[in-house]
Amino acid sequence: MQNNTMQAARCPTDELSLTNCAVVSEKDLQSGQHVTVKTTPNHKFVFTVKTHHTVSPGSIAFSLPQRKWAGLSIGQEVEVANYNFDKSKQCIGAMTIEIDFLQKKSTDSSPYDSDKMAAEFIQQFNNQAFSVTQQLVFSFCDKLFGLMVKDIEAMDASILRGETASGKKQKIDIGLMVGNSQVIFEKAESSSLTLVGKAKTKEARQTIINPEWNFEKMGIGGLDKEFSSIFRRAFASRVFPPDIVEQMGCKHVKGIMLFGPPGCGKTLMARQIGKMLNAREPKVVNGPEILNKYVGESEANIRKLFADAEEEQKRLGANSGLHIIIFDELDAICKQRGTGASSTGVHDTVVNQLLSKIDGVEQLNNILVIGMTNRPDLIDDALMRPGRFEVKMEISLPDEKGRVQILTIHTNKMRSFNLLAPDVDIKELAAETKNYSGAELEGLVRAAQSTAMNRHIKATSTVEVDMERAEKLQVTRSDFMGSLNNDIKPAFGTNQEDYSNYIMNGIIKWGDPVTHVLDDGELLIQQTKNSDRTPLVAVLLEGPPHCGKTALAAKIAEDSQFPFIKICSPEKMIGYSEIAKCQAIKKVFDDACKSQLSCVVVDDIERLLDYVPIGPRFSNLVLQALLVLLKRAPPKGRKLLIIGTTSRKDVLQEMEMLDAFSTTIHIPNISTGEQLVDALELLGSFTDKERANIAHQLKGKRVWIGIKKLLVLIEMSLQVRETHRCSGAALKAPCISDVMCKMLDSSLHRKPTYSPAKKYSGT
């Protein structure tokens, strides 16, 4: 449209006069266009136009406040021309508005929430032109208010580009209202209006458009990367003006799925997402609360959650505010359809209702649904596709940097009041707390605090606090270390009791074979840590019974110092069915995949497989599960070392299980007299003379005995000595060696216990 002369007219309806738009015929202009209205050679005013069928072509209608502001009279001829905004310089960052009741007779003393008022203002006047000194009428809570624009600041262009805010503030005379503009209301000097809320004072920009978000003030640590990724995927489209988003054909992300181990900050993150957005107060729903015993009530509960968003979208369209709905424990209501044992099918209909609301025929574009679960495998597949829960974010265990942030957050208050001793090193604690979740780190701080407070309690006939000493209360390093060792253990960490029982007597290096096994184990540990090409390393320790395979496997695992070490042992699965055993083994491997570095010891594989030579018989279900899990590579960025032990290599060979291991290490029994004497010397149970006598009697004899059995025989012979000593018939030194040799005699001259591989008869 070129410069065109039009005639000023009166606004045709009261509703249109509240829109702050100039009204024209659709034959002259289109709704949403911006125009300059030149009233005199030196006076120009910018308006956004709206079309209406009652306005005749060649006319442009204004409301009374607009005519007052621009000095227009009915029938006056004005020059009208298109006006284009420079989006990089003229988007409104903050606008200060003076407000008062439109009519003095309608005044009241009720407080008006300026935050809600600002949100409603942005929705009503989104994508409209505003000028300093402009006057308009605003309807809020069935009251009419007269407004006057006092001041306009431009939005920082670097924010729109996704960069850090430069902090520069630039005043402008004319600006374009966008969804992320900030509106500040100030009541007129003589007004009796009462304003409450934050929007009555000028403050910082809304956090949704500020990448430099302060996580520590929010109480979140270790999730910087996740927040950044969510911001990029879910909120970037909400930062830009709606018309730009519409031109790109871009739809907002409607759903975010947060999953991961318990206690890692999923609920906390969802709660803070609601705070960091310029949106309604989030609706937080626990999954089981949706379910109702009456038919149709569960689905009605889902519909109620979306009712406000539907009503607002119908009323305001693209200018509708963002409605956030947070589902905690989503797996409680959104299980895979068709898997419920109940004949009612309630879960299925709830899933159907949720699917139709998020992305059904009547799509809502003003919602953000955040779901949280520890079990993403249970969620119905239809919910996980783009358009529904499109952004899937794993909230995993925090790394060392994240643990420093979390511990800093939970000790900040103590530090500010000088209740944290100088010897407490947060970085040291972060290094010691591998595989601790955020909740467990918070629990560690609480446990240390209770330990420190307990020192100042006098436990006499009554429990009293020693006030003199309590004033000097400080939480020290020893309090944290004590809690670390005794009180708080990570659910996905190393349970030292698991493997300490296997090496309670230490590792007895009776010869080169043992040293070689430990050296090979160290090489495998380094390969797991350092190699990016082989994130999965599996080794099998095989040898005769009682040769110390499990102890060596536990020792290699302990030496690895990996944050996750678990022993998958048949003794923990006594009485399990085949399916239960498969699930227990799978859980160990799944948990291992949640840690950066993990070591799993699969002990006594033939016992796990229920193998017996009579029949022969074994559990094919467990065998297939183990074959899959042993070959399954961990997720990207994770490393896994698997150490298996077996006494029946021949059986595993027949089952084609040896191929699942990267390498096999043979562990022999003690096979020479010299090795036996070396073992006795390391154990220190006999004198030099007794060992010499044993060596003399074993000379030239063949030996085949496991270190585990040797320990039992030594303890038995020592009990013989103790029995004679207590009875008063002291046994002479050479005699004890004779006793030992007699006990060994049953274990000498033996062949290895391996039996030849048997052919299976199709069992």
Side-chain angles (χ1 to χ4, degrees):
M1 173 184 174
Q2 301 296 325
N3 285 3
N4 197 3
T5 301
M6 300 183 77
Q7 199 170 50
R10 183 179 285 109
C11 191
T13 67
D14 290 340
E15 288 79 9
L16 285 171
S17 67
L18 295 175
T19 62
N20 191 41
C21 290
V23 188
V24 296
S25 169
E26 57 187 11
K27 295 180 180 178
D28 293 328
L29 293 163
Q30 294 179 348
S31 285
Q33 278 187 266
H34 312 294
V35 296
T36 58
V37 176
K38 190 174 182 180
T39 56
T40 68
N42 298 322
H43 292 89
K44 289 182 183 178
F45 301 89
V46 178
F47 292 94
T48 303
V49 299
K50 190 179 280 287
T51 59
H52 197 263
H53 65 278
T54 60
V55 179
S56 57
S59 295
I60 180 165
F62 299 97
S63 65
L64 179 60
Q66 289 172 328
R67 295 200 303 274
K68 279 185 178 180
W69 171 53
L72 289 163
S73 58
I74 304 299
Q76 180 180 343
E77 289 191 349
V78 293
E79 286 186 20
V80 180
N82 276 339
Y83 184 86
N84 294 315
F85 280 95
D86 183 348
K87 298 287 176 63
S88 64
K89 296 179 181 178
Q90 288 186 287
C91 286
I92 296 175
M95 184 166 70
T96 307
I97 299 175
E98 190 177 89
I99 183 170
D100 195 4
F101 292 107
L102 185 64
Q103 296 175 332
K104 296 298 180 185
K105 63 181 180 181
S106 64
T107 58
D108 62 31
S109 58
S110 302
Y112 289 89
D113 190 330
S114 58
D115 296 325
K116 291 181 179 177
M117 196 179 282
E120 188 71 24
F121 183 91
I122 291 170
Q123 288 168 13
Q124 285 191 28
F125 303 116
N126 196 15
N127 210 33
Q128 284 195 26
F130 285 91
S131 305
V132 176
T133 72
Q134 182 172 346
Q135 297 176 26
L136 64 151
V137 178
F138 175 48
S139 174
F140 180 73
C141 292
D142 297 326
K143 288 277 186 182
L144 293 177
F145 296 90
L147 308 183
M148 194 267 287
V149 180
K150 287 184 67 177
D151 182 67
I152 300 176
E153 284 180 8
M155 184 179 288
D156 192 340
S158 58
I159 291 175
L160 293 174
R161 294 194 296 267
E163 301 169 359
T164 305
S166 63
K168 294 179 181 178
K169 295 180 180 179
Q170 184 178 358
K171 303 280 186 182
I172 52 176
D173 293 325
I174 302 170
L176 180 68
M177 175 68 65
V178 292
N180 294 308
S181 299
Q182 184 188 1
V183 176
I184 302 107
F185 287 103
E186 291 181 358
K187 70 174 185 175
E189 289 183 12
S190 58
S191 175
S192 60
L193 176 67
T194 304
L195 290 177
V196 294
K198 296 178 182 177
K200 61 181 180 176
T201 56
K202 188 167 285 192
E203 58 180 26
R205 295 282 301 120
Q206 291 294 326
T207 50
I208 184 175
I209 58 171
N210 184 8
E212 295 298 317
W213 179 252
N214 190 334
F215 297 105
E216 291 193 6
K217 287 184 181 177
M218 293 167 67
I220 293 179
L223 297 176
D224 304 38
K225 183 180 177 184
E226 287 81 358
F227 250 111
S228 175
S229 184
I230 287 176
F231 183 89
R232 176 180 61 82
R233 290 291 311 281
F235 306 140
S237 62
R238 301 183 190 274
V239 170
F240 280 80
D243 57 329
I244 296 178
V245 175
E246 191 176 340
Q247 288 167 15
M248 292 178 70
C250 175
K251 288 184 179 179
H252 300 311
V253 167
K254 299 176 188 174
I256 301 173
M257 174 68 71
L258 305 178
F259 64 93
C264 287
K266 297 184 294 296
T267 307
L268 178 62
M269 177 179 261
R271 196 184 304 130
Q272 298 302 347
I273 285 173
K275 289 182 182 178
M276 72 184 281
L277 289 176
N278 185 19
R280 302 285 183 278
E281 186 70 22
K283 294 179 181 177
V284 182
V285 186
N286 291 318
E289 291 176 0
I290 291 292
L291 303 177
N292 193 296
K293 65 180 179 179
Y294 295 109
V295 175
E297 281 298 309
S298 300
E299 298 88 319
N301 289 337
I302 293 285
R303 290 194 292 273
K304 287 174 189 173
L305 293 173
F306 293 86
D308 292 344
E310 286 179 329
E311 185 273 329
E312 193 170 298
Q313 178 153 307
K314 286 177 183 175
R315 183 164 55 90
L316 298 171
N319 295 335
S320 171
L322 180 63
H323 292 254
I324 299 175
I325 303 168
I326 298 173
F327 284 94
D328 203 1
E329 306 301 339
L330 185 66
D331 52 280
I333 59 170
C334 291
K335 291 186 173 70
Q336 291 276 359
R337 286 172 289 181
T339 58
S342 169
S343 60
T344 60
V346 171
H347 282 95
D348 292 2
T349 54
V350 169
V351 174
N352 294 340
Q353 183 69 76
L354 188 59
L355 289 172
S356 65
K357 284 297 176 188
I358 297 176
D359 190 30
V361 176
E362 294 182 2
Q363 293 185 353
L364 293 172
N365 205 32
N366 61 343
I367 56 167
L368 179 64
V369 183
I370 303 173
M372 293 168 288
T373 180
N374 302 326
R375 297 291 306 276
D377 52 305
L378 297 180
I379 305 295
D380 192 88
D381 293 338
L383 275 168
M384 307 302 285
R385 72 156 175 79
R388 290 165 183 168
F389 286 104
E390 184 170 337
V391 178
K392 293 174 276 292
M393 183 64 60
E394 182 180 6
I395 310 299
S396 57
L397 297 168
D399 57 12
E400 190 166 331
K401 181 184 174 185
R403 294 195 294 273
V404 169
Q405 291 180 358
I406 294 168
L407 288 167
T408 302
I409 288 165
H410 292 303
T411 56
N412 262 342
K413 205 160 190 179
M414 287 192 291
R415 192 178 290 105
S416 62
F417 288 98
N418 198 30
L419 294 174
L420 196 66
D423 63 348
V424 176
D425 185 357
I426 297 297
K427 290 184 178 178
E428 180 194 11
L429 288 174
E432 292 290 330
T433 50
K434 294 173 182 173
N435 274 27
Y436 276 66
S437 67
E440 287 161 347
L441 290 171
E442 186 182 0
L444 174 67
V445 174
R446 281 200 303 269
Q449 290 168 340
S450 63
T451 305
M453 287 188 283
N454 195 55
R455 288 200 302 271
H456 301 285
I457 295 175
K458 292 187 289 187
T460 54
S461 57
T462 59
V463 178
E464 297 176 356
V465 177
D466 187 346
M467 294 306 296
E468 291 182 8
R469 295 178 59 196
E471 291 178 0
K472 300 176 183 178
L473 171 68
Q474 278 197 327
V475 183
T476 64
R477 179 182 179 275
S478 60
D479 295 328
F480 278 100
M481 290 303 173
S483 302
L484 196 63
N485 296 326
N486 303 317
D487 297 331
I488 308 295
K489 298 290 183 184
F492 297 96
T494 300
N495 187 354
Q496 197 168 358
E497 294 173 3
D498 266 3
Y499 57 80
S500 58
N501 291 334
Y502 295 111
I503 47 178
M504 56 189 296
N505 295 312
I507 298 298
I508 301 157
K509 298 181 181 178
W510 47 261
D512 290 341
V514 179
T515 308
H516 292 331
V517 171
L518 293 175
D519 290 345
D520 290 345
E522 179 60 31
L523 285 173
L524 292 166
I525 291 168
Q526 294 305 320
Q527 179 184 346
T528 308
K529 280 183 180 177
N530 303 323
S531 174
D532 293 327
R533 294 184 178 179
T534 55
L536 173 65
V537 176
V539 58
L540 179 67
L541 306 185
E542 59 85 16
H546 311 303
C547 67
K549 299 181 296 296
T550 305
L552 286 167
K555 179 64 176 173
I556 293 169
E558 183 186 42
D559 289 347
S560 72
Q561 295 293 303
F562 285 0
F564 182 96
I565 299 173
K566 279 285 189 293
I567 294 184
C568 183
S569 173
E571 68 184 33
K572 296 178 183 176
M573 303 180 195
I574 296 172
Y576 279 27
S577 66
E578 286 184 295
I579 293 174
K581 191 178 285 190
C582 289
Q583 289 173 340
I585 296 170
K586 182 177 181 293
K587 186 177 186 305
V588 171
F589 279 84
D590 287 346
D591 289 349
C593 290
K594 293 171 184 173
S595 174
Q596 299 293 325
L597 283 170
S598 308
C599 178
V600 174
V601 177
V602 186
D603 189 33
D604 215 354
I605 294 176
E606 64 273 15
R607 291 285 74 78
L608 278 174
L609 295 172
D610 299 330
Y611 167 77
V612 287
I614 303 170
R617 183 186 174 279
F618 65 93
S619 168
N620 189 52
L621 200 63
V622 178
L623 171 64
Q624 299 305 324
L626 271 175
L627 285 173
V628 171
L629 292 169
L630 288 170
K631 294 178 181 178
R632 188 182 71 178
K636 188 177 180 181
R638 314 281 168 85
K639 308 287 186 70
L640 175 60
L641 172 62
I642 302 171
I643 306 172
T645 71
T646 182
S647 299
R648 297 303 302 263
K649 180 185 174 183
D650 55 323
V651 172
L652 299 193
Q653 178 73 57
E654 287 289 322
M655 294 178 181
E656 298 181 350
M657 199 174 189
L658 290 186
D659 295 337
F661 292 94
S662 313
T663 184
T664 303
I665 299 175
H666 176 67
I667 301 172
N669 270 343
I670 295 173
S671 56
T672 66
E674 290 80 5
Q675 291 174 342
L676 183 60
V677 173
D678 288 344
L680 294 176
E681 185 178 353
L682 289 169
L683 289 165
S685 302
F686 298 98
T687 64
D688 293 343
K689 194 172 182 181
E690 288 169 342
R691 285 198 305 275
N693 189 37
I694 292 171
H696 177 72
Q697 293 191 48
L698 292 176
K699 191 173 182 181
K701 292 184 178 180
R702 190 179 171 195
V703 177
W704 185 257
I705 186 169
I707 187 68
K708 195 173 177 182
K709 192 163 188 177
L710 178 62
L711 284 169
V712 175
L713 295 179
I714 290 171
E715 289 303 311
M716 289 172 65
S717 64
L718 292 176
Q719 287 305 310
V720 172
R721 172 196 281 171
E722 193 63 30
T723 303
H724 280 73
R725 182 177 296 162
C726 293
S727 63
L731 201 64
K732 294 182 181 179
C735 295
I736 188 65
S737 58
D738 292 341
V739 172
M740 181 65 189
C741 287
K742 285 178 182 178
M743 289 183 175
L744 282 169
D745 195 41
S746 62
S747 300
L748 304 181
H749 310 288
R750 285 193 179 180
K751 295 180 180 178
T753 55
Y754 284 140
S755 59
K758 297 184 179 181
K759 298 294 180 186
Y760 292 95
S761 56
T763 304

